[in-house]
Amino acid sequence: MAKSYPGGKKKAFNITYDDGVLQDERFVALLNKYGIKGTFNLNSQLMQEAFSWTHPNGMKVTRLTPDQVKHLYDGHEVASHTLTHPYMHGLSDEELYRQLKSDKDNLERLFGREVKGFAVPFDYYDDRIADCAKACGFTYARKSECTGNFTPCTDRYHWKTGIYHIDADLTNFVAAFLNTDEELAVCQIVGHSYDLDAENLWGTMELICAAVSKCDDIWFCTNAELVDYLCNL
């Protein structure tokens, strides 16, 4: 018998965005409009500091504050992205643990729910980070690496997504997903909502959301739901 997702769905769709920035307010509204679940990876200390930086195009990118996010992500998953978004390769074991565990604790206090996932900042990842995520109580850890395909990942502490949303092939990738017959196909899109302003991608993302929302064979899930399902088949 062919495998399927909950409800007999043939495919799964998930969007996972990092950093908790101002544009998340508009992006969450877009996902809600089309009944799509997102996973949002947050840095609790940078939220408290109202951190901002200047994009290469001159746009100011601003982190949302704890008050702004408290109910913004209702119906979506909140995951850890470390306290301060550091480069991970040079951290001591003690600092690595603090970055992950303190962020998890802070987010759980703020949102009043379990934080199951960890998404690494930047693109460095190794077994030490995976072991730390496990020790901190995360049920999965997401790498920055994208597969470029629809084959589901089954390694919960070396989780790979499908495609970065500023990839020039994004619309073709989603179109291929809608037409694939691959068993347990999954489309995971990763990015930052500030890119939707910087790269003028709002229209593209709305077209994608509208297209997938019309399909009755797609399971719309958070990253934690997807990981738990695939790793327990």
Side-chain angles (χ1 to χ4, degrees), residues 102-115:
S102 295
D103 194 49
K104 185 178 193 295
D105 292 344
N106 290 345
L107 294 174
E108 289 181 341
R109 281 193 296 269
L110 176 61
F111 291 97
R113 50 175 149 140
E114 183 182 6
V115 171

Side-chain angles (χ1 to χ4, degrees), residues 70-85:
K70 191 161 187 180
H71 296 292
L72 174 63
Y73 304 114
D74 289 353
H76 302 275
E77 179 188 359
V78 169
S80 169
H81 200 40
T82 70
L83 280 172
T84 61
H85 207 287

